[in-house]
Amino acid sequence: MKTYESICIGVPEILLPRRGIDMTKWAVIACDQYTSEPEYWQKVRQEVGDEPSTLNLVYPEVYLNAGDKDERISRIRANMADYMKKDLFEPISGFVYLERTVGERVRKGIMVCLDLEQYDFRKGSSSLIRATEGTILDRIPPRVKIREGALVELPHIMVLIDDPEDRVVGRLAGSKDKLSKIYDFELMLGSGHLTGYRVQDSGMEQGVIEGLKSLADTAGFVKKYDLPASTPVLLYAMGDGNHSLATAKTIWENAKEKAADKAAIMQSPLRYALVELTNLHDEALVFEPIHRVLFELSSGVDFDAECRSHFKAGVDLDKAHGLDDMQRRIDEQTGPTHEVGLIDADGFRMLAVHQPESNLPVGTIQGLLDKLVSEGKVREIDYVHGTDSVCQLGMKSRNLGVYLPAMKKEDLFKTVILDGALPRKTFSMGEAWEKRFYVEARKIGSVK
């Protein structure tokens, strides 16, 4: 694989489904979506039937707590080997430029490999590739178990670059009529359209590389964000798939530690991860909040009393006049007070925290929610995308939905540079149905 180590880039060797395979059935949404809605994944299974599909190669996280976890992982391994032996993949080399139509918007991206040697998801990281939100360490081991020993990787990872002049992705978007189209199809269950183009021209490849190098220039970087000259460059910020990339990093570090030949291991495909690179300033890229749902509050737990006890500086709790009123008040809030919406079987309410210690409402409320789980006062928390989901789930008996505002995407890079990772699950790039679908794969193991 051709690599550009100074900017962490590898030109990928990609596996695409063999021609003739039904692409709509092949591509399924990221495995970490609809984690509290098994009916969605049942619809996907019905849509796919017995046809070749990435559904058979990934582990939908709605089933992470199922009793047949080991059997599911074994089936995934067997399916990967079967697909390889049956030549259901066709290899291509080079970047892939893609366009995802979501509603009336078209989101653009480039499939590349990122060098995990230059990624550090730990708090306080100064690496070229960084996490944008806190990594939940206990979520990594089950994902390692799924990925470790896999023959192929299928990414739902989206990584952001802060490129206001659109010098990277825009180079390919403006020349797509010169690129060969490699897929063009409707995504299942109303999730839009996806088109991909192969980048074979060396000049176009170099244009992408030069654009990334310009973003990595130290002088330009510190000037853009008004930083001290010694500030380490942040070139790539995680958008979606933070825990997937952290899992790939963990496996890579484990492989290095176990390797007898320390030089040879550096050429391993495990060193890199296949991701979609997207411009933060893409007009179709919308930052949506990630809401919270508390499942099964224990009998006798008074959430209002828990709020008053936890937030010593004082809170206000009052009713909202329906969903629209709650959304307006949350989404338009200004000033030092942090407000979040509360949704339960009785309707919609507002929680206002007057002297929050966090910079964002999500950080203010998360400490209380974690405390309730640790004290056994709620069974679990799930993180959901979209107003419909948080309302439907929050209104169920003994549940509570927490509606949060979105953050401004323009603030992301400088916030991460100055303050480090944001509170976990702070933002989502679009709602659940807009998330990345599995299409491309990359070989990371060998059939035995």
Side-chain angles (χ1 to χ4, degrees):
M1 180 171 64
K2 186 191 301 183
T3 60
Y4 299 89
E5 289 193 18
S6 67
I7 52 169
C8 318
I9 286 287
V11 181
E13 304 284 337
I14 286 175
L15 300 174
L16 290 176
R18 189 179 64 201
R19 293 181 186 180
I21 288 177
D22 186 329
M23 293 296 292
T24 299
K25 294 183 178 182
W26 172 263
V28 302
I29 205 162
C31 66
D32 60 348
Q33 300 303 304
Y34 300 104
T35 52
S36 295
E37 300 174 65
E39 59 273 13
Y40 174 89
W41 290 99
Q42 291 165 7
K43 290 178 183 177
V44 174
R45 173 52 67 191
Q46 292 169 359
E47 181 90 8
V48 168
D50 295 327
E51 298 296 314
S53 175
T54 56
L55 179 62
N56 302 316
L57 307 177
V58 299
Y59 195 128
E61 294 186 3
V62 68
Y63 305 120
L64 268 182
N65 294 321
D68 63 345
K69 182 185 293 186
D70 290 342
E71 291 83 353
R72 286 178 179 272
I73 295 173
S74 294
R75 286 199 299 270
I76 291 169
R77 297 282 186 273
N79 290 334
M80 287 180 175
D82 186 54
Y83 281 21
M84 296 287 278
K85 290 175 181 177
K86 290 180 178 178
D87 292 325
L88 296 189
F89 291 110
E90 291 184 356
I92 66 167
S93 298
F95 296 137
V96 172
Y97 166 69
L98 56 89
E99 293 184 342
R100 169 77 179 277
T101 302
V102 284
E104 298 181 353
R105 298 174 282 123
V106 179
R107 189 178 68 218
K108 307 172 184 68
I110 309 174
M111 297 305 298
V112 305
C113 277
L114 285 188
D115 187 355
L116 296 171
E117 276 291 283
Q118 302 193 61
Y119 169 52
D120 185 351
F121 58 80
R122 293 173 298 182
K123 187 175 181 178
S125 164
S126 60
S127 54
L128 278 177
I129 311 167
R130 292 180 215 170
T132 52
E133 59 187 22
T135 302
I136 307 171
L137 297 181
D138 61 7
R139 293 183 65 181
I140 295 178
R143 288 161 177 79
V144 168
K145 190 172 184 179
I146 293 166
R147 180 183 171 100
E148 202 163 39
L151 298 178
V152 298
E153 64 168 349
L154 294 110
H156 68 258
I157 300 166
M158 296 180 66
V159 175
L160 299 169
I161 53 173
D162 189 1
D163 186 12
E165 297 178 11
D166 205 13
R167 291 172 286 185
V168 180
V169 182
R171 290 176 186 265
L172 299 182
S175 304
K176 69 177 183 180
D177 57 327
K178 300 176 183 177
L179 303 175
S180 57
K181 191 179 293 185
I182 52 177
Y183 53 74
D184 188 12
F185 64 99
E186 289 292 315
L187 296 164
M188 67 170 65
L189 301 178
S191 285
H193 194 92
L194 188 64
T195 309
Y197 303 82
R198 184 180 179 185
V199 180
Q200 294 175 278
D201 182 84
S202 60
M204 291 186 186
E205 178 185 304
Q206 285 304 310
V208 170
I209 297 304
E210 292 307 314
L212 290 170
K213 286 182 176 179
S214 68
L215 295 177
D217 175 71
T218 301
F221 172 78
V222 298
K223 181 178 180 181
K224 180 196 291 189
Y225 301 110
D226 190 24
L227 301 168
S230 59
T231 306
V233 171
L234 168 60
L235 181 55
Y236 306 105
M238 288 302 304
D240 278 342
N242 179 55
H243 289 89
S244 291
L245 196 64
T247 298
K249 171 68 171 180
T250 300
I251 290 173
W252 167 235
E253 293 298 330
N254 291 344
K256 283 196 299 180
E257 184 177 347
K258 295 174 183 176
D261 189 331
K262 301 301 183 183
I265 192 64
M266 300 306 289
Q267 306 305 314
S268 168
L270 295 175
R271 175 175 171 175
Y272 290 83
L274 186 62
V275 307
E276 179 183 341
L277 205 60
T278 305
N279 186 4
L280 177 70
H281 300 275
D282 189 317
E283 292 181 357
L285 186 64
V286 177
F287 272 25
E288 301 281 357
I290 301 178
H291 309 297
R292 275 70 170 143
V293 178
L294 305 186
F295 287 88
E296 299 180 17
L297 273 77
S298 299
S299 176
V301 172
D302 183 337
F303 186 79
D304 292 9
E306 295 289 344
C307 290
R308 294 189 178 98
S309 173
H310 183 78
F311 298 111
K312 305 298 184 184
V315 299
D316 284 329
L317 289 132
D318 65 277
K319 279 195 171 293
H321 301 296
L323 173 61
D324 290 344
D325 179 52
M326 183 196 71
Q327 285 184 293
R328 178 187 58 77
R329 292 166 67 181
I330 298 301
D331 295 343
E332 296 178 2
Q333 64 182 283
T334 57
T337 295
H338 284 173
E339 294 186 278
V340 303
L342 305 176
I343 305 160
D344 59 21
D346 294 324
F348 304 93
R349 294 185 296 143
M350 302 287 298
L351 165 64
V353 181
H354 296 303
Q355 295 182 27
E357 296 182 359
S358 175
N359 292 324
L360 298 170
V362 61
T364 295
I365 194 66
Q366 190 66 45
L368 170 60
L369 304 186
D370 290 341
K371 177 173 175 284
L372 292 176
V373 172
S374 68
E375 293 177 351
K377 295 178 179 178
V378 62
R379 178 170 61 82
E380 67 174 326
I381 302 174
D382 196 13
Y383 302 87
V384 300
H385 306 267
T387 303
D388 289 346
S389 292
V390 70
C391 289
Q392 290 170 8
L393 295 169
M395 288 181 172
K396 291 183 177 181
S397 176
R398 295 175 57 200
N399 286 3
L400 178 75
V402 180
Y403 179 93
L404 293 163
M407 73 170 290
K408 295 179 180 179
K409 68 178 185 179
E410 293 80 8
D411 296 338
L412 177 65
F413 269 67
K414 190 163 186 178
T415 301
V416 172
I417 293 165
L418 294 177
D419 299 339
L422 301 167
R424 67 181 184 273
K425 298 292 184 181
T426 295
F427 68 93
S428 170
M429 300 194 314
E431 296 194 15
W433 66 276
E434 301 175 79
K435 292 299 181 177
R436 189 165 210 287
F437 272 59
Y438 300 111
V439 178
E440 308 87 356
R442 187 176 73 99
K443 186 177 179 182
I444 58 173
S446 301
V447 179
K448 295 181 180 178

